[in-house]
Amino acid sequence: VDRVLDVGAGTGILSIAAVRLGAARATGIEIDAEANVVAVRNAEQNGVSAACQFLDGDAALLAPLLGPVDLLLSNILRNVNVTLLPAIHDAVAPGGVAIFSGMEEGEAQLFRPVLAPAGFVVEDEVLDAGWWAVAARRVP
């Protein structure tokens, strides 16, 4: 994986993990500027600040401008993921993967059906302690 985009980056943990696991570059988008201050500090403490960038702003506007990316990570609420799906589609390279998490088990039946119309095919799903995540590949 060359480029990773972390939508709703929070404290930057997913961006940091992506770089630590081999991504060449990770960019996090977070609407909360205070969280980005923490994300920058966390990247510095983990020795990956040169490969991590954190931007303040609305992912619906920024994500398409930052693509195409190989991998997009979105650990946010289901309703926000649904709203962001067009921007996420535009940010992920054809054949790239988006991983959506931060949703409760019962939300799977609500989120799964919106993926295909948005141009994604489910690749894998994980359920852990009531939390659900799904990896979906963008249709080329």
Side-chain angles (χ1 to χ4, degrees):
V1 174
D2 186 40
R3 295 187 60 209
V4 174
L5 182 58
D6 180 4
V7 176
T11 60
I13 189 71
L14 295 178
S15 294
I16 293 164
V19 170
R20 297 284 305 252
L21 291 170
R25 182 126 192 93
T27 301
I29 302 171
E30 176 57 53
I31 202 158
D32 179 358
E34 290 180 32
N36 274 336
V37 171
V38 175
V40 168
R41 186 173 355 137
N42 287 341
E44 289 169 356
Q45 290 174 346
N46 282 276
V48 295
S49 58
C52 287
Q53 174 186 17
F54 298 99
L55 305 175
D56 298 338
D58 184 345
L61 301 174
L62 293 174
L65 301 175
L66 297 169
V69 298
D70 306 304
L71 177 63
L72 185 138
L73 307 168
S74 182
N75 184 36
I76 51 181
L77 301 173
R78 178 189 54 83
N79 61 335
V80 179
N81 275 325
V82 170
T83 301
L84 290 176
L85 270 173
I88 288 171
H89 176 272
D90 291 347
V92 176
V97 173
I99 299 176
F100 302 93
S101 57
M103 294 177 272
E104 295 179 6
E105 177 179 0
E107 294 180 289
Q109 64 189 8
L110 301 171
F111 190 70
R112 217 180 278 115
V114 302
L115 288 169
F120 289 94
V121 175
V122 173
E123 292 276 318
D124 197 10
E125 300 178 53
V126 175
L127 183 61
D128 183 26
W131 293 99
W132 175 73
V134 60
R137 186 168 303 280
R138 181 177 163 198
V139 178

mmCIF file of all heavy atoms in Angstrom, residues 87-140:
data_model
loop_
_atom_site.group_PDB
_atom_site.id
_atom_site.type_symbol
_atom_site.label_atom_id
_atom_site.label_comp_id
_atom_site.label_asym_id
_atom_site.label_seq_id
_atom_site.Cartn_x
_atom_site.Cartn_y
_atom_site.Cartn_z
ATOM 1 N N ALA A 87 -17.781 10.974 -1.617
ATOM 2 C CA ALA A 87 -16.418 11.515 -1.508
ATOM 3 C C ALA A 87 -15.404 10.389 -1.333
ATOM 4 O O ALA A 87 -14.301 10.443 -1.889
ATOM 5 C CB ALA A 87 -16.334 12.496 -0.337
ATOM 6 N N ILE A 88 -15.772 9.380 -0.573
ATOM 7 C CA ILE A 88 -14.891 8.230 -0.366
ATOM 8 C C ILE A 88 -14.678 7.506 -1.687
ATOM 9 O O ILE A 88 -13.552 7.146 -2.041
ATOM 10 C CB ILE A 88 -15.462 7.312 0.733
ATOM 11 C CG1 ILE A 88 -15.299 8.000 2.097
ATOM 12 C CG2 ILE A 88 -14.795 5.943 0.716
ATOM 13 C CD1 ILE A 88 -16.015 7.314 3.241
ATOM 14 N N HIS A 89 -15.749 7.313 -2.439
ATOM 15 C CA HIS A 89 -15.637 6.671 -3.757
ATOM 16 C C HIS A 89 -14.651 7.434 -4.634
ATOM 17 O O HIS A 89 -13.789 6.839 -5.291
ATOM 18 C CB HIS A 89 -17.008 6.595 -4.429
ATOM 19 C CG HIS A 89 -16.948 6.042 -5.812
ATOM 20 N ND1 HIS A 89 -16.727 6.838 -6.916
ATOM 21 C CD2 HIS A 89 -17.047 4.779 -6.268
ATOM 22 C CE1 HIS A 89 -16.701 6.077 -7.991
ATOM 23 N NE2 HIS A 89 -16.895 4.822 -7.632
ATOM 24 N N ASP A 90 -14.763 8.747 -4.649
ATOM 25 C CA ASP A 90 -13.895 9.565 -5.495
ATOM 26 C C ASP A 90 -12.447 9.573 -5.020
ATOM 27 O O ASP A 90 -11.535 9.814 -5.809
ATOM 28 C CB ASP A 90 -14.422 10.994 -5.575
ATOM 29 C CG ASP A 90 -15.734 11.076 -6.349
ATOM 30 O OD1 ASP A 90 -16.106 10.100 -7.031
ATOM 31 O OD2 ASP A 90 -16.395 12.122 -6.257
ATOM 32 N N ALA A 91 -12.230 9.308 -3.731
ATOM 33 C CA ALA A 91 -10.872 9.324 -3.175
ATOM 34 C C ALA A 91 -10.143 7.999 -3.360
ATOM 35 O O ALA A 91 -8.917 7.978 -3.444
ATOM 36 C CB ALA A 91 -10.920 9.678 -1.689
ATOM 37 N N VAL A 92 -10.888 6.893 -3.424
ATOM 38 C CA VAL A 92 -10.269 5.571 -3.522
ATOM 39 C C VAL A 92 -10.012 5.240 -4.994
ATOM 40 O O VAL A 92 -10.887 5.397 -5.844
ATOM 41 C CB VAL A 92 -11.178 4.491 -2.882
ATOM 42 C CG1 VAL A 92 -10.591 3.099 -3.077
ATOM 43 C CG2 VAL A 92 -11.379 4.773 -1.399
ATOM 44 N N ALA A 93 -8.811 4.787 -5.266
ATOM 45 C CA ALA A 93 -8.462 4.393 -6.634
ATOM 46 C C ALA A 93 -9.311 3.198 -7.060
ATOM 47 O O ALA A 93 -9.669 2.361 -6.219
ATOM 48 C CB ALA A 93 -6.982 4.024 -6.703
ATOM 49 N N PRO A 94 -9.626 3.077 -8.345
ATOM 50 C CA PRO A 94 -10.323 1.881 -8.803
ATOM 51 C C PRO A 94 -9.536 0.634 -8.388
ATOM 52 O O PRO A 94 -8.320 0.566 -8.571
ATOM 53 C CB PRO A 94 -10.349 2.039 -10.325
ATOM 54 C CG PRO A 94 -10.298 3.526 -10.525
ATOM 55 C CD PRO A 94 -9.399 4.038 -9.429
ATOM 56 N N GLY A 95 -10.219 -0.308 -7.766
ATOM 57 C CA GLY A 95 -9.564 -1.504 -7.251
ATOM 58 C C GLY A 95 -9.018 -1.335 -5.851
ATOM 59 O O GLY A 95 -8.596 -2.308 -5.225
ATOM 60 N N GLY A 96 -9.021 -0.096 -5.332
ATOM 61 C CA GLY A 96 -8.566 0.167 -3.975
ATOM 62 C C GLY A 96 -9.604 -0.267 -2.957
ATOM 63 O O GLY A 96 -10.733 -0.625 -3.296
ATOM 64 N N VAL A 97 -9.224 -0.212 -1.692
ATOM 65 C CA VAL A 97 -10.077 -0.707 -0.611
ATOM 66 C C VAL A 97 -10.392 0.400 0.380
ATOM 67 O O VAL A 97 -9.526 1.210 0.721
ATOM 68 C CB VAL A 97 -9.394 -1.883 0.125
ATOM 69 C CG1 VAL A 97 -10.189 -2.304 1.352
ATOM 70 C CG2 VAL A 97 -9.221 -3.065 -0.819
ATOM 71 N N ALA A 98 -11.652 0.398 0.833
ATOM 72 C CA ALA A 98 -12.074 1.261 1.936
ATOM 73 C C ALA A 98 -12.477 0.353 3.085
ATOM 74 O O ALA A 98 -13.212 -0.625 2.887
ATOM 75 C CB ALA A 98 -13.249 2.140 1.522
ATOM 76 N N ILE A 99 -11.976 0.649 4.271
ATOM 77 C CA ILE A 99 -12.354 -0.097 5.468
ATOM 78 C C ILE A 99 -13.180 0.830 6.342
ATOM 79 O O ILE A 99 -12.707 1.896 6.743
ATOM 80 C CB ILE A 99 -11.123 -0.623 6.230
ATOM 81 C CG1 ILE A 99 -10.326 -1.578 5.343
ATOM 82 C CG2 ILE A 99 -11.572 -1.312 7.525
ATOM 83 C CD1 ILE A 99 -9.036 -2.077 5.964
ATOM 84 N N PHE A 100 -14.400 0.416 6.578
ATOM 85 C CA PHE A 100 -15.338 1.182 7.404
ATOM 86 C C PHE A 100 -15.484 0.481 8.739
ATOM 87 O O PHE A 100 -15.780 -0.712 8.789
ATOM 88 C CB PHE A 100 -16.707 1.251 6.717
ATOM 89 C CG PHE A 100 -16.679 1.862 5.347
ATOM 90 C CD1 PHE A 100 -16.544 1.063 4.221
ATOM 91 C CD2 PHE A 100 -16.788 3.239 5.185
ATOM 92 C CE1 PHE A 100 -16.531 1.619 2.950
ATOM 93 C CE2 PHE A 100 -16.766 3.807 3.911
ATOM 94 C CZ PHE A 100 -16.634 2.990 2.795
ATOM 95 N N SER A 101 -15.293 1.225 9.820
ATOM 96 C CA SER A 101 -15.452 0.654 11.150
ATOM 97 C C SER A 101 -16.113 1.702 12.042
ATOM 98 O O SER A 101 -16.518 2.758 11.576
ATOM 99 C CB SER A 101 -14.098 0.217 11.714
ATOM 100 O OG SER A 101 -13.187 1.300 11.747
ATOM 101 N N GLY A 102 -16.234 1.380 13.321
ATOM 102 C CA GLY A 102 -16.874 2.312 14.243
ATOM 103 C C GLY A 102 -18.388 2.167 14.241
ATOM 104 O O GLY A 102 -19.086 3.055 14.701
ATOM 105 N N MET A 103 -18.872 1.052 13.715
ATOM 106 C CA MET A 103 -20.308 0.820 13.666
ATOM 107 C C MET A 103 -20.664 -0.373 14.546
ATOM 108 O O MET A 103 -19.892 -1.332 14.638
ATOM 109 C CB MET A 103 -20.746 0.560 12.220
ATOM 110 C CG MET A 103 -20.576 1.782 11.337
ATOM 111 S SD MET A 103 -21.012 1.459 9.620
ATOM 112 C CE MET A 103 -19.436 0.882 8.988
ATOM 113 N N GLU A 104 -21.814 -0.291 15.157
ATOM 114 C CA GLU A 104 -22.275 -1.390 16.000
ATOM 115 C C GLU A 104 -22.798 -2.530 15.142
ATOM 116 O O GLU A 104 -23.200 -2.339 13.997
ATOM 117 C CB GLU A 104 -23.348 -0.896 16.954
ATOM 118 C CG GLU A 104 -22.813 0.117 17.953
ATOM 119 C CD GLU A 104 -23.868 0.636 18.899
ATOM 120 O OE1 GLU A 104 -25.027 0.144 18.873
ATOM 121 O OE2 GLU A 104 -23.542 1.532 19.682
ATOM 122 N N GLU A 105 -22.796 -3.712 15.700
ATOM 123 C CA GLU A 105 -23.193 -4.935 14.992
ATOM 124 C C GLU A 105 -24.523 -4.777 14.242
ATOM 125 O O GLU A 105 -24.642 -5.168 13.084
ATOM 126 C CB GLU A 105 -23.291 -6.072 16.003
ATOM 127 C CG GLU A 105 -23.749 -7.381 15.449
ATOM 128 C CD GLU A 105 -23.805 -8.477 16.514
ATOM 129 O OE1 GLU A 105 -23.490 -8.216 17.690
ATOM 130 O OE2 GLU A 105 -24.172 -9.588 16.133
ATOM 131 N N GLY A 106 -25.522 -4.193 14.875
ATOM 132 C CA GLY A 106 -26.831 -4.043 14.266
ATOM 133 C C GLY A 106 -26.861 -3.101 13.075
ATOM 134 O O GLY A 106 -27.802 -3.123 12.278
ATOM 135 N N GLU A 107 -25.835 -2.287 12.921
ATOM 136 C CA GLU A 107 -25.791 -1.338 11.812
ATOM 137 C C GLU A 107 -25.324 -1.980 10.502
ATOM 138 O O GLU A 107 -25.473 -1.392 9.436
ATOM 139 C CB GLU A 107 -24.897 -0.154 12.169
ATOM 140 C CG GLU A 107 -25.470 0.671 13.309
ATOM 141 C CD GLU A 107 -24.582 1.834 13.666
ATOM 142 O OE1 GLU A 107 -23.494 1.584 14.238
ATOM 143 O OE2 GLU A 107 -24.969 2.976 13.346
ATOM 144 N N ALA A 108 -24.792 -3.192 10.592
ATOM 145 C CA ALA A 108 -24.319 -3.882 9.390
ATOM 146 C C ALA A 108 -25.432 -4.014 8.362
ATOM 147 O O ALA A 108 -25.223 -3.757 7.174
ATOM 148 C CB ALA A 108 -23.756 -5.256 9.755
ATOM 149 N N GLN A 109 -26.607 -4.388 8.812
ATOM 150 C CA GLN A 109 -27.729 -4.582 7.884
ATOM 151 C C GLN A 109 -28.196 -3.275 7.258
ATOM 152 O O GLN A 109 -28.856 -3.267 6.230
ATOM 153 C CB GLN A 109 -28.892 -5.276 8.585
ATOM 154 C CG GLN A 109 -29.505 -4.469 9.705
ATOM 155 C CD GLN A 109 -30.505 -5.285 10.512
ATOM 156 O OE1 GLN A 109 -30.646 -6.475 10.333
ATOM 157 N NE2 GLN A 109 -31.192 -4.617 11.412
ATOM 158 N N LEU A 110 -27.845 -2.158 7.852
ATOM 159 C CA LEU A 110 -28.198 -0.849 7.295
ATOM 160 C C LEU A 110 -27.123 -0.316 6.358
ATOM 161 O O LEU A 110 -27.414 0.388 5.389
ATOM 162 C CB LEU A 110 -28.435 0.159 8.425
ATOM 163 C CG LEU A 110 -29.533 -0.185 9.422
ATOM 164 C CD1 LEU A 110 -29.501 0.785 10.603
ATOM 165 C CD2 LEU A 110 -30.891 -0.174 8.736
ATOM 166 N N PHE A 111 -25.870 -0.649 6.654
ATOM 167 C CA PHE A 111 -24.762 -0.095 5.865
ATOM 168 C C PHE A 111 -24.410 -0.953 4.655
ATOM 169 O O PHE A 111 -24.110 -0.427 3.580
ATOM 170 C CB PHE A 111 -23.533 0.100 6.756
ATOM 171 C CG PHE A 111 -22.438 0.886 6.103
ATOM 172 C CD1 PHE A 111 -22.586 2.242 5.864
ATOM 173 C CD2 PHE A 111 -21.254 0.274 5.711
ATOM 174 C CE1 PHE A 111 -21.581 2.977 5.252
ATOM 175 C CE2 PHE A 111 -20.241 1.001 5.109
ATOM 176 C CZ PHE A 111 -20.413 2.356 4.877
ATOM 177 N N ARG A 112 -24.438 -2.254 4.810
ATOM 178 C CA ARG A 112 -24.073 -3.162 3.723
ATOM 179 C C ARG A 112 -24.809 -2.836 2.411
ATOM 180 O O ARG A 112 -24.185 -2.779 1.354
ATOM 181 C CB ARG A 112 -24.346 -4.607 4.156
ATOM 182 C CG ARG A 112 -23.340 -5.589 3.655
ATOM 183 C CD ARG A 112 -23.650 -7.018 4.096
ATOM 184 N NE ARG A 112 -23.208 -7.317 5.442
ATOM 185 C CZ ARG A 112 -24.012 -7.598 6.472
ATOM 186 N NH1 ARG A 112 -25.311 -7.624 6.329
ATOM 187 N NH2 ARG A 112 -23.504 -7.872 7.643
ATOM 188 N N PRO A 113 -26.146 -2.600 2.452
ATOM 189 C CA PRO A 113 -26.869 -2.354 1.197
ATOM 190 C C PRO A 113 -26.501 -1.052 0.474
ATOM 191 O O PRO A 113 -26.776 -0.934 -0.718
ATOM 192 C CB PRO A 113 -28.339 -2.311 1.623
ATOM 193 C CG PRO A 113 -28.402 -2.986 2.940
ATOM 194 C CD PRO A 113 -27.062 -2.753 3.575
ATOM 195 N N VAL A 114 -25.892 -0.093 1.143
ATOM 196 C CA VAL A 114 -25.553 1.165 0.465
ATOM 197 C C VAL A 114 -24.207 1.097 -0.254
ATOM 198 O O VAL A 114 -23.876 1.988 -1.031
ATOM 199 C CB VAL A 114 -25.579 2.374 1.440
ATOM 200 C CG1 VAL A 114 -26.930 2.521 2.102
ATOM 201 C CG2 VAL A 114 -24.465 2.296 2.460
ATOM 202 N N LEU A 115 -23.447 0.041 -0.002
ATOM 203 C CA LEU A 115 -22.113 -0.053 -0.594
ATOM 204 C C LEU A 115 -22.142 -0.287 -2.108
ATOM 205 O O LEU A 115 -21.427 0.383 -2.850
ATOM 206 C CB LEU A 115 -21.293 -1.137 0.110
ATOM 207 C CG LEU A 115 -20.845 -0.756 1.519
ATOM 208 C CD1 LEU A 115 -20.270 -1.965 2.243
ATOM 209 C CD2 LEU A 115 -19.840 0.379 1.479
ATOM 210 N N ALA A 116 -22.942 -1.225 -2.565
ATOM 211 C CA ALA A 116 -22.980 -1.528 -4.006
ATOM 212 C C ALA A 116 -23.417 -0.323 -4.843
ATOM 213 O O ALA A 116 -22.748 0.003 -5.830
ATOM 214 C CB ALA A 116 -23.866 -2.735 -4.278
ATOM 215 N N PRO A 117 -24.495 0.376 -4.470
ATOM 216 C CA PRO A 117 -24.868 1.555 -5.263
ATOM 217 C C PRO A 117 -23.795 2.654 -5.250
ATOM 218 O O PRO A 117 -23.735 3.479 -6.156
ATOM 219 C CB PRO A 117 -26.156 2.056 -4.604
ATOM 220 C CG PRO A 117 -26.686 0.900 -3.851
ATOM 221 C CD PRO A 117 -25.493 0.073 -3.454
ATOM 222 N N ALA A 118 -22.931 2.642 -4.225
ATOM 223 C CA ALA A 118 -21.857 3.631 -4.131
ATOM 224 C C ALA A 118 -20.599 3.183 -4.871
ATOM 225 O O ALA A 118 -19.596 3.894 -4.889
ATOM 226 C CB ALA A 118 -21.528 3.909 -2.665
ATOM 227 N N GLY A 119 -20.638 1.984 -5.480
ATOM 228 C CA GLY A 119 -19.502 1.519 -6.266
ATOM 229 C C GLY A 119 -18.506 0.659 -5.517
ATOM 230 O O GLY A 119 -17.342 0.574 -5.912
ATOM 231 N N PHE A 120 -18.951 -0.018 -4.458
ATOM 232 C CA PHE A 120 -18.071 -0.869 -3.666
ATOM 233 C C PHE A 120 -18.633 -2.289 -3.562
ATOM 234 O O PHE A 120 -19.850 -2.480 -3.536
ATOM 235 C CB PHE A 120 -17.904 -0.301 -2.244
ATOM 236 C CG PHE A 120 -17.092 0.947 -2.186
ATOM 237 C CD1 PHE A 120 -17.712 2.188 -2.226
ATOM 238 C CD2 PHE A 120 -15.711 0.906 -2.101
ATOM 239 C CE1 PHE A 120 -16.974 3.363 -2.177
ATOM 240 C CE2 PHE A 120 -14.963 2.070 -2.058
ATOM 241 C CZ PHE A 120 -15.592 3.305 -2.085
ATOM 242 N N VAL A 121 -17.726 -3.267 -3.474
ATOM 243 C CA VAL A 121 -18.085 -4.659 -3.277
ATOM 244 C C VAL A 121 -17.468 -5.116 -1.957
ATOM 245 O O VAL A 121 -16.273 -4.896 -1.715
ATOM 246 C CB VAL A 121 -17.545 -5.542 -4.427
ATOM 247 C CG1 VAL A 121 -17.800 -7.010 -4.162
ATOM 248 C CG2 VAL A 121 -18.144 -5.106 -5.739
ATOM 249 N N VAL A 122 -18.271 -5.738 -1.105
ATOM 250 C CA VAL A 122 -17.776 -6.221 0.185
ATOM 251 C C VAL A 122 -16.739 -7.313 -0.037
ATOM 252 O O VAL A 122 -16.975 -8.273 -0.756
ATOM 253 C CB VAL A 122 -18.942 -6.739 1.058
ATOM 254 C CG1 VAL A 122 -18.411 -7.404 2.331
ATOM 255 C CG2 VAL A 122 -19.886 -5.600 1.409
ATOM 256 N N GLU A 123 -15.581 -7.141 0.602
ATOM 257 C CA GLU A 123 -14.496 -8.127 0.539
ATOM 258 C C GLU A 123 -14.426 -8.961 1.813
ATOM 259 O O GLU A 123 -14.148 -10.146 1.763
ATOM 260 C CB GLU A 123 -13.144 -7.420 0.350
ATOM 261 C CG GLU A 123 -12.982 -6.747 -0.985
ATOM 262 C CD GLU A 123 -12.515 -7.700 -2.060
ATOM 263 O OE1 GLU A 123 -11.634 -8.525 -1.799
ATOM 264 O OE2 GLU A 123 -13.046 -7.609 -3.175
ATOM 265 N N ASP A 124 -14.652 -8.307 2.961
ATOM 266 C CA ASP A 124 -14.512 -9.002 4.242
ATOM 267 C C ASP A 124 -15.258 -8.224 5.316
ATOM 268 O O ASP A 124 -15.448 -7.007 5.178
ATOM 269 C CB ASP A 124 -13.028 -9.119 4.620
ATOM 270 C CG ASP A 124 -12.766 -10.156 5.701
ATOM 271 O OD1 ASP A 124 -13.677 -10.930 6.043
ATOM 272 O OD2 ASP A 124 -11.632 -10.187 6.211
ATOM 273 N N GLU A 125 -15.662 -8.925 6.347
ATOM 274 C CA GLU A 125 -16.340 -8.314 7.482
ATOM 275 C C GLU A 125 -15.787 -8.903 8.775
ATOM 276 O O GLU A 125 -15.403 -10.072 8.803
ATOM 277 C CB GLU A 125 -17.848 -8.581 7.428
ATOM 278 C CG GLU A 125 -18.523 -8.045 6.197
ATOM 279 C CD GLU A 125 -20.009 -8.367 6.169
ATOM 280 O OE1 GLU A 125 -20.707 -8.061 7.151
ATOM 281 O OE2 GLU A 125 -20.456 -8.933 5.157
ATOM 282 N N VAL A 126 -15.774 -8.096 9.823
ATOM 283 C CA VAL A 126 -15.301 -8.541 11.131
ATOM 284 C C VAL A 126 -16.279 -8.049 12.181
ATOM 285 O O VAL A 126 -16.726 -6.896 12.143
ATOM 286 C CB VAL A 126 -13.886 -7.996 11.440
ATOM 287 C CG1 VAL A 126 -13.446 -8.362 12.844
ATOM 288 C CG2 VAL A 126 -12.885 -8.485 10.423
ATOM 289 N N LEU A 127 -16.593 -8.922 13.113
ATOM 290 C CA LEU A 127 -17.435 -8.578 14.244
ATOM 291 C C LEU A 127 -16.630 -8.859 15.505
ATOM 292 O O LEU A 127 -16.074 -9.945 15.670
ATOM 293 C CB LEU A 127 -18.712 -9.428 14.214
ATOM 294 C CG LEU A 127 -19.732 -9.155 15.292
ATOM 295 C CD1 LEU A 127 -20.240 -7.719 15.209
ATOM 296 C CD2 LEU A 127 -20.891 -10.133 15.157
ATOM 297 N N ASP A 128 -16.546 -7.857 16.397
ATOM 298 C CA ASP A 128 -15.765 -8.020 17.617
ATOM 299 C C ASP A 128 -16.435 -7.253 18.749
ATOM 300 O O ASP A 128 -16.544 -6.019 18.686
ATOM 301 C CB ASP A 128 -14.342 -7.508 17.402
ATOM 302 C CG ASP A 128 -13.447 -7.717 18.618
ATOM 303 O OD1 ASP A 128 -13.705 -8.643 19.409
ATOM 304 O OD2 ASP A 128 -12.490 -6.944 18.769
ATOM 305 N N ALA A 129 -16.878 -7.976 19.747
ATOM 306 C CA ALA A 129 -17.468 -7.385 20.953
ATOM 307 C C ALA A 129 -18.583 -6.384 20.633
ATOM 308 O O ALA A 129 -18.675 -5.322 21.236
ATOM 309 C CB ALA A 129 -16.386 -6.738 21.810
ATOM 310 N N GLY A 130 -19.404 -6.727 19.649
ATOM 311 C CA GLY A 130 -20.529 -5.871 19.299
ATOM 312 C C GLY A 130 -20.223 -4.796 18.271
ATOM 313 O O GLY A 130 -21.120 -4.089 17.829
ATOM 314 N N TRP A 131 -18.968 -4.678 17.874
ATOM 315 C CA TRP A 131 -18.568 -3.704 16.862
ATOM 316 C C TRP A 131 -18.358 -4.416 15.541
ATOM 317 O O TRP A 131 -17.829 -5.519 15.488
ATOM 318 C CB TRP A 131 -17.285 -2.982 17.274
ATOM 319 C CG TRP A 131 -17.486 -2.112 18.462
ATOM 320 C CD1 TRP A 131 -17.177 -2.418 19.754
ATOM 321 C CD2 TRP A 131 -18.068 -0.817 18.482
ATOM 322 N NE1 TRP A 131 -17.529 -1.391 20.574
ATOM 323 C CE2 TRP A 131 -18.090 -0.381 19.829
ATOM 324 C CE3 TRP A 131 -18.587 0.019 17.508
ATOM 325 C CZ2 TRP A 131 -18.589 0.847 20.203
ATOM 326 C CZ3 TRP A 131 -19.093 1.254 17.890
ATOM 327 C CH2 TRP A 131 -19.085 1.658 19.223
ATOM 328 N N TRP A 132 -18.743 -3.742 14.436
ATOM 329 C CA TRP A 132 -18.667 -4.336 13.107
ATOM 330 C C TRP A 132 -17.794 -3.470 12.208
ATOM 331 O O TRP A 132 -17.843 -2.244 12.264
ATOM 332 C CB TRP A 132 -20.082 -4.423 12.521
ATOM 333 C CG TRP A 132 -20.169 -4.906 11.122
ATOM 334 C CD1 TRP A 132 -19.972 -6.192 10.686
ATOM 335 C CD2 TRP A 132 -20.493 -4.140 9.960
ATOM 336 N NE1 TRP A 132 -20.156 -6.259 9.325
ATOM 337 C CE2 TRP A 132 -20.488 -5.011 8.854
ATOM 338 C CE3 TRP A 132 -20.805 -2.798 9.749
ATOM 339 C CZ2 TRP A 132 -20.766 -4.593 7.564
ATOM 340 C CZ3 TRP A 132 -21.077 -2.371 8.458
ATOM 341 C CH2 TRP A 132 -21.063 -3.266 7.391
ATOM 342 N N ALA A 133 -17.002 -4.123 11.376
ATOM 343 C CA ALA A 133 -16.187 -3.428 10.371
ATOM 344 C C ALA A 133 -16.305 -4.174 9.054
ATOM 345 O O ALA A 133 -16.511 -5.396 9.034
ATOM 346 C CB ALA A 133 -14.731 -3.370 10.817
ATOM 347 N N VAL A 134 -16.164 -3.446 7.966
ATOM 348 C CA VAL A 134 -16.266 -4.041 6.644
ATOM 349 C C VAL A 134 -15.183 -3.455 5.734
ATOM 350 O O VAL A 134 -14.924 -2.254 5.755
ATOM 351 C CB VAL A 134 -17.681 -3.828 6.043
ATOM 352 C CG1 VAL A 134 -18.016 -2.359 5.912
ATOM 353 C CG2 VAL A 134 -17.841 -4.544 4.706
ATOM 354 N N ALA A 135 -14.548 -4.349 4.975
ATOM 355 C CA ALA A 135 -13.602 -3.932 3.945
ATOM 356 C C ALA A 135 -14.308 -4.069 2.607
ATOM 357 O O ALA A 135 -14.883 -5.125 2.302
ATOM 358 C CB ALA A 135 -12.362 -4.813 3.974
ATOM 359 N N ALA A 136 -14.315 -2.988 1.830
ATOM 360 C CA ALA A 136 -15.007 -2.989 0.542
ATOM 361 C C ALA A 136 -14.065 -2.478 -0.541
ATOM 362 O O ALA A 136 -13.369 -1.481 -0.348
ATOM 363 C CB ALA A 136 -16.247 -2.109 0.638
ATOM 364 N N ARG A 137 -14.065 -3.179 -1.666
ATOM 365 C CA ARG A 137 -13.201 -2.805 -2.786
ATOM 366 C C ARG A 137 -13.987 -1.938 -3.763
ATOM 367 O O ARG A 137 -15.130 -2.230 -4.095
ATOM 368 C CB ARG A 137 -12.693 -4.048 -3.499
ATOM 369 C CG ARG A 137 -11.684 -3.745 -4.590
ATOM 370 C CD ARG A 137 -10.969 -4.985 -5.079
ATOM 371 N NE ARG A 137 -10.288 -5.724 -4.025
ATOM 372 C CZ ARG A 137 -9.091 -5.419 -3.507
ATOM 373 N NH1 ARG A 137 -8.453 -4.344 -3.950
ATOM 374 N NH2 ARG A 137 -8.564 -6.158 -2.576
ATOM 375 N N ARG A 138 -13.344 -0.844 -4.207
ATOM 376 C CA ARG A 138 -13.993 0.006 -5.212
ATOM 377 C C ARG A 138 -13.997 -0.722 -6.552
ATOM 378 O O ARG A 138 -12.974 -1.226 -7.010
ATOM 379 C CB ARG A 138 -13.261 1.339 -5.347
ATOM 380 C CG ARG A 138 -13.975 2.209 -6.375
ATOM 381 C CD ARG A 138 -13.378 3.558 -6.541
ATOM 382 N NE ARG A 138 -13.890 4.106 -7.802
ATOM 383 C CZ ARG A 138 -13.345 5.095 -8.451
ATOM 384 N NH1 ARG A 138 -12.291 5.696 -7.967
ATOM 385 N NH2 ARG A 138 -13.858 5.500 -9.583
ATOM 386 N N VAL A 139 -15.160 -0.772 -7.145
ATOM 387 C CA VAL A 139 -15.309 -1.419 -8.441
ATOM 388 C C VAL A 139 -14.532 -0.610 -9.472
ATOM 389 O O VAL A 139 -14.686 0.615 -9.550
ATOM 390 C CB VAL A 139 -16.804 -1.513 -8.819
ATOM 391 C CG1 VAL A 139 -16.966 -2.138 -10.188
ATOM 392 C CG2 VAL A 139 -17.573 -2.287 -7.762
ATOM 393 N N PRO A 140 -13.681 -1.290 -10.262
ATOM 394 C CA PRO A 140 -12.900 -0.567 -11.280
ATOM 395 C C PRO A 140 -13.772 0.042 -12.359
ATOM 396 O O PRO A 140 -14.863 -0.350 -12.600
ATOM 397 C CB PRO A 140 -11.987 -1.635 -11.874
ATOM 398 C CG PRO A 140 -11.977 -2.761 -10.921
ATOM 399 C CD PRO A 140 -13.271 -2.683 -10.155
#
